[in-house]
Amino acid sequence: MHVSVSARGLRSLLLCITKVSRRVAQFTSVCNVSTFRSFHLNSLRCQKSSLTMEQAANDSGTPAGVNTPVSVEETATKDATETGKRKNDEPDEAEKSGRGKRRRGAGGKKLRPGERYVPPPQKRNPGVSFSQEHFDETSYYFESGLRKVYPYYFDFKTYCKGRWIGKTLLDVFNSEFRAESIEYYQMAAKEGRIKLNETPVEDLSVVLRNNDHMRNTVHRHEPPVVGRPLEVLVDDGEVLVVDKPASIPVHPCGRFRHNTVIFILGKERGISELHTVHRLDRLTSGVLLFARTLEKSKQLDQLVRDRQLEKEYVCRVDGEFPEGELICEEPILVVSFKIGLCRVDPKGKECRTVFQRLSFNGKTSVVRCLPLTGRTHQIRVHLQYLGFPIVNDPIYGASAWGPHRGKGGHIGKSDEELLQALVQEHQNLHLLDITDDCTGVGQEAKKKIKISEKMDKSGRTAEPDESGESCQTQVDKKFDCTETTNINAKNASLTESQNPLSTNSNGNQTEAADSTRKTPQGTQDHLCSECKLVRPDPTEKELIMYLHALRYKGPDFEYSTSLPDWAKEDWVDAE
């Protein structure tokens, strides 16, 4: 009888301790007044009950340290108390069955029949690199001082966008991918170049559904860049510093892929997994920094954010720049993210650049530039505002800005009118840098600008976007945005004596059939409109802008290059 009473008392004591443990967990997770009051009252009850049980045990004559039989259920309760685990910590039936996991993976929404869950990209940052498969797509060749890329086949991929759902492929090509005619896409589909969910599509009337994956195989042509090799200034395992030639983009963008700094470094030097610290405009040359490790990338990024990275540029501008130090603090506003076009505007972001004249040759000045902030096109915009645009700046030195070329912020045009004027001025030049969207400003400008081109047989015009070239995307992000041309049938049929643009990079005229200006043998594609064109090589003025990143300096490092020829005091323009 005494043993039975003692076991019952200990059982009650263990249950009381379990309740107290649960209340402690609740109190630590949600600390409010009501919880604290409840916790306090329950503690008092448990203490009173414990005293009563202890008294009963003492009355029964059972020592406190004597072991008594305990059931399996009691043992489990005791173990749970000792380990701090509670019944609520165990996964419920929904989680065991996987339904809870599915809900979390799908963002809390149940998938409809036929829908497919696409997981978000992994949060990894191994640096930018490409595989040997990418490098093997094509090869380089050098002619007339230019680095060229043999045309190659490339797959543009994309998932169906929300605005495309319920539309046919024909509708999408007709409204958003107008680089080619509908007849071209129909022929491409018949040859198996257009695939939907990895299945060739022969009929473009197929209706698109959510999560459809589209692939379009195109014959890709890249513009040439200067043939000067990339010079590696520093490579210590943590930082890679190169002297970037003008005309070469840093990473794949627009129509450029193999003719980019990252591709050239990977293909010719085997350098991969680079972290970009900063970027230079395609036409800008000079010091370009990459981090070789993620840790170093974070350190350099922090220096940039804390403005502990000093940047020094040099440029040549029109006119006689004032002597002494000149500071410009005009705010800069982005007019178009598509082409990175900016201007001075009170609604823009704060900005500060320090200028100092280095020399003047009677016509142009060499200016030292210290950008203390890092806005897009900061140096070029501030120089334009001051009335001294860079000599061969294709954007901010263009006549589209008005008779004074934007001096003092006086443009006399709306942003849309300015974009249209720039498109018209540069429709035969690949000078406006473009991002990876063909359907933005370029399409808006096309609706308002009548470009004097002959119509093709389908009644459609080969319309250029704001850069004079349709954009192709970074790596594999977009669908078919193959380049178009601004050279109409008349210019394409002109001979050397008729076409003043038929000059090579050295200014020497060559025959229209010269191999430097037509697709190399063996790389022709019967559906590619670019293969049918005769395009002159770009001149040096189209590939080089007189802006150079001279020096980058941090708390414990400094990287610099020598002055370019055009920045020397005794330099004279050939013209």
Side-chain angles (χ1 to χ4, degrees), residues 95-382:
E95 292 183 357
K96 289 180 180 179
S97 63
R99 286 179 293 176
K101 182 177 181 180
R102 185 188 65 179
R103 287 197 298 270
R104 289 195 300 271
K109 297 185 295 185
K110 292 184 178 180
L111 297 177
R112 296 192 299 267
E115 281 190 323
R116 178 172 56 85
Y117 170 63
V118 180
Q122 295 181 353
K123 295 183 179 180
R124 295 178 64 248
N125 189 7
V128 181
S129 60
F130 298 90
S131 67
Q132 190 61 41
E133 179 183 359
H134 295 127
F135 298 143
D136 291 341
E137 290 172 341
T138 185
S139 58
Y140 301 110
Y141 67 101
F142 296 85
E143 275 185 333
S144 303
L146 300 175
R147 177 192 290 268
K148 300 182 179 181
V149 175
Y150 288 107
Y152 57 99
Y153 289 98
F154 180 77
D155 288 341
F156 283 101
K157 309 170 188 176
T158 186
Y159 284 98
C160 177
K161 302 183 185 302
R163 63 179 181 272
W164 300 348
I165 297 177
K167 295 184 178 180
T168 65
L169 266 177
L170 185 67
D171 294 334
V172 173
F173 282 130
N174 190 45
S175 61
E176 303 205 28
F177 301 110
R178 300 190 295 173
E180 299 287 353
S181 66
I182 290 299
E183 287 74 17
Y184 165 83
Y185 292 116
Q186 290 172 338
M187 290 187 293
K190 290 180 179 179
E191 296 198 7
R193 300 190 186 187
I194 299 176
K195 295 182 180 180
L196 190 63
N197 301 321
E198 301 305 322
T199 302
V201 176
E202 295 185 2
D203 187 2
L204 296 182
S205 62
V206 60
V207 177
L208 296 176
R209 297 183 301 176
N210 192 25
N211 285 330
D212 275 346
H213 182 265
M214 295 180 284
R215 181 195 298 264
N216 184 20
T217 302
V218 300
H219 196 233
R220 187 166 181 169
H221 294 249
E222 293 194 23
V225 298
V226 296
R228 185 165 69 87
L230 289 174
E231 180 184 355
V232 176
L233 303 176
V234 176
D235 187 6
D236 58 7
E238 290 189 331
V239 176
L240 175 72
V241 185
V242 300
D243 184 3
K244 185 186 91 68
S247 78
I248 305 179
V250 176
H251 52 74
C253 58
R255 296 171 58 208
F256 296 89
R257 179 175 168 83
H258 286 263
N259 265 347
T260 60
V261 173
I262 290 179
F263 250 76
I264 294 173
L265 288 174
K267 190 167 184 175
E268 296 186 349
R269 296 177 177 267
I271 299 175
S272 61
E273 297 187 5
L274 295 175
H275 302 261
T276 53
V277 178
H278 69 104
R279 293 176 175 86
L280 296 177
D281 294 338
R282 177 170 60 89
L283 300 180
T284 303
S285 58
V287 176
L288 180 63
L289 273 68
F290 295 99
R292 298 296 298 266
T293 64
L294 181 58
E295 181 181 357
K296 193 63 178 180
S297 175
K298 293 179 179 179
Q299 294 176 3
L300 294 175
D301 287 343
Q302 190 62 46
L303 291 180
V304 173
R305 286 193 294 269
D306 296 341
R307 297 184 179 176
Q308 297 184 31
L309 187 62
E310 298 179 15
K311 299 169 286 185
E312 179 180 348
Y313 288 72
V314 63
C315 64
R316 183 172 286 276
V317 302
D318 282 329
E320 184 177 0
F321 198 84
E323 293 184 342
E325 189 176 86
L326 180 60
I327 300 176
C328 185
E329 295 181 305
E330 297 296 330
I332 291 180
L333 178 71
V334 178
V335 175
S336 170
F337 288 98
K338 305 299 179 183
I339 62 175
L341 183 66
C342 304
R343 62 176 172 84
V344 167
D345 190 280
K347 295 179 293 185
K349 295 184 178 180
E350 58 93 14
C351 208
R352 180 182 174 90
T353 313
V354 179
F355 298 103
Q356 182 182 13
R357 192 179 87 181
L358 299 180
S359 64
F360 175 61
N361 66 0
K363 184 178 179 181
T364 59
S365 304
V366 176
V367 179
R368 178 174 177 258
C369 314
L370 301 175
L372 303 183
T373 50
R375 307 302 177 201
T376 302
H377 294 176
Q378 175 176 327
I379 294 174
R380 300 162 66 181
V381 174
H382 274 176

Side-chain angles (χ1 to χ4, degrees), residues 308-574:
Q308 297 184 31
L309 187 62
E310 298 179 15
K311 299 169 286 185
E312 179 180 348
Y313 288 72
V314 63
C315 64
R316 183 172 286 276
V317 302
D318 282 329
E320 184 177 0
F321 198 84
E323 293 184 342
E325 189 176 86
L326 180 60
I327 300 176
C328 185
E329 295 181 305
E330 297 296 330
I332 291 180
L333 178 71
V334 178
V335 175
S336 170
F337 288 98
K338 305 299 179 183
I339 62 175
L341 183 66
C342 304
R343 62 176 172 84
V344 167
D345 190 280
K347 295 179 293 185
K349 295 184 178 180
E350 58 93 14
C351 208
R352 180 182 174 90
T353 313
V354 179
F355 298 103
Q356 182 182 13
R357 192 179 87 181
L358 299 180
S359 64
F360 175 61
N361 66 0
K363 184 178 179 181
T364 59
S365 304
V366 176
V367 179
R368 178 174 177 258
C369 314
L370 301 175
L372 303 183
T373 50
R375 307 302 177 201
T376 302
H377 294 176
Q378 175 176 327
I379 294 174
R380 300 162 66 181
V381 174
H382 274 176
L383 286 171
Q384 180 202 49
Y385 179 85
L386 295 173
F388 301 95
I390 294 176
V391 169
N392 52 359
D393 191 329
I395 299 180
Y396 300 103
S399 59
W401 294 85
H404 301 290
R405 293 191 294 177
K407 180 179 180 181
H410 303 297
I411 303 173
K413 297 183 178 73
S414 66
D415 291 345
E416 288 187 0
E417 292 172 340
L418 176 61
L419 287 173
Q420 294 170 21
L422 284 171
V423 170
Q424 288 179 321
E425 185 169 349
H426 293 302
Q427 56 180 293
N428 286 326
L429 300 176
H430 305 300
L431 298 178
L432 296 180
D433 291 324
I434 188 108
T435 55
D436 58 356
D437 189 357
C438 291
T439 62
V441 177
Q443 294 293 338
E444 296 171 2
K446 292 173 188 176
K447 297 177 182 178
K448 300 180 179 180
I449 301 175
K450 294 182 179 179
I451 301 175
S452 58
E453 291 184 325
K454 290 188 176 181
M455 305 289 286
D456 61 19
K457 294 180 180 179
S458 63
R460 300 164 58 90
T461 58
E463 296 172 309
D465 61 13
E466 59 271 17
S467 68
E469 60 196 38
S470 295
C471 53
Q472 290 184 330
T473 67
Q474 279 189 351
V475 195
D476 300 351
K477 297 287 180 75
K478 296 289 180 185
F479 205 32
D480 179 18
C481 296
T482 55
E483 82 167 304
T484 58
T485 177
N486 299 294
I487 302 177
N488 56 31
K490 180 178 179 180
N491 283 341
S493 63
L494 290 177
T495 61
E496 172 197 2
S497 60
Q498 295 171 314
N499 189 356
L501 295 178
S502 297
T503 57
N504 60 22
S505 59
N506 297 323
N508 299 322
Q509 291 187 347
T510 56
E511 294 182 2
D514 193 307
S515 62
T516 61
R517 297 206 321 276
K518 74 175 187 179
T519 306
Q521 295 296 325
T523 57
Q524 297 279 342
D525 181 84
H526 66 283
L527 292 184
C528 178
S529 59
E530 182 70 12
C531 287
K532 301 178 178 67
L533 297 174
V534 178
R535 187 188 294 278
D537 282 338
T539 63
E540 183 176 352
K541 282 197 171 183
E542 295 173 11
L543 296 178
I544 296 176
M545 182 172 62
Y546 295 157
L547 177 62
H548 181 81
L550 187 64
R551 181 175 63 95
Y552 272 64
K553 181 179 180 181
D556 55 354
F557 63 84
E558 180 176 350
Y559 308 116
S560 61
T561 65
S562 57
L563 279 174
D565 292 337
W566 53 259
K568 296 177 180 178
E569 188 173 353
D570 58 351
W571 179 84
V572 178
D573 192 346

Side-chain angles (χ1 to χ4, degrees), residues 2 5-7 9-10 51-64:
H2 295 291
V5 171
S6 178
L10 289 176
L51 290 174
T52 304
M53 294 298 103
E54 184 179 357
Q55 184 178 1
N58 291 334
D59 292 343
S60 64
T62 304

